Amino acid sequence: MRLILFGPPGAGKGTQAKLLAKHHGLRHLSTGDMLRAAVRNESPVGKEAKGHMDAGELVPDDVVNRIVAETLAEIGYDDFILDGYPRTVDQAEFLVEALSDQDAPINAVVSLRVPEEHIVQRLSRRRTDRETGAIYHLDFNPPPADVTAERLLHRSDDEPEAIRTRLEEYHAKTQPLEAFFRAHVRFLDVDGLGSLDEVQARIDEALRGPGL
Ligand code: AMP
């Protein structure tokens, strides 16, 4: 199965992608995680990406397309869930072409709907476990007692100013993708509000349709 998880920053894409990957035996491909690893390793891609990421801007399409193309070639073009990619129409066109060359079309786009007023609150209270990559929300999905405060990372792009820029980038460049997806791929709308389990159950229900 080849899936895309789509939605605004803070919609829960990362959390739900991890669960979906685990339950359906898919590789979780997060371009955000790949780029953060590149920044940590101070690779050429990381050096190019860092300033954009800190500011909450999108990283240039050619940089992101390249790392996705390399990853898909490495894993064999199947059994994956893309999280945070594509984020522009150019990226989507690149992906659709790369996959059609391999006769491996996307089966579905799962779109997580979360109203804007919830997003800032979700992002500003989000924390990531540096050791396991697990994503928590300090109020709604708090870390277990054995995960110490020092292990919890507050992403620098989850500060208010970067959040604002990320939302602007989303509206200007990513939201228009919805029309592209609806025209080319099976598009599943899922309500992203509620507990992790509720949202997960809705995604599983949506994926139960024919042809998946
Ligand atoms: P995420 O972890 O998905 O929220 O991504 C964090 C940051 O990485 C974004 O704000 C962008 O700066 C960058 N990024 C991740 N995926 C993409 C993408 N597909 N296109 C451009 N920039 C991206």
Side-chain angles (χ1 to χ4, degrees), residues 81-183:
I81 176 155
L82 282 164
D83 156 17
Y85 179 92
R87 260 178 158 105
T88 65
V89 173
D90 274 359
Q91 291 178 15
E93 286 172 345
F94 177 87
L95 176 70
V96 165
E97 192 169 323
L99 291 178
S100 88
D101 286 349
Q102 300 296 327
D103 211 10
I106 290 290
N107 298 105
V109 175
V110 177
S111 168
L112 283 181
R113 304 259 165 203
V114 174
E116 183 119 2
E117 63 265 27
H118 292 262
I119 288 175
V120 175
Q121 201 272 354
R122 281 184 172 208
L123 292 176
S124 54
R125 302 286 285 164
R126 172 163 74 177
R127 298 291 184 274
T128 311
D129 185 337
R130 292 174 208 273
E131 289 178 23
T132 64
I135 302 166
Y136 299 107
H137 185 284
L138 293 178
D139 309 310
F140 303 133
N141 176 30
D146 63 321
V147 176
T148 55
E150 302 79 67
R151 261 171 70 174
L152 293 175
L153 174 75
H154 184 209
R155 277 170 48 174
S156 56
D157 61 349
D158 281 345
E159 299 292 346
E161 179 141 352
I163 293 176
R164 259 194 304 281
T165 308
R166 287 163 71 199
L167 285 172
E168 283 164 17
E169 289 278 77
Y170 176 76
H171 288 303
K173 298 176 184 162
T174 307
Q175 213 168 29
L177 260 179
E178 181 169 334
F180 175 91
F181 283 144
R182 285 190 188 276

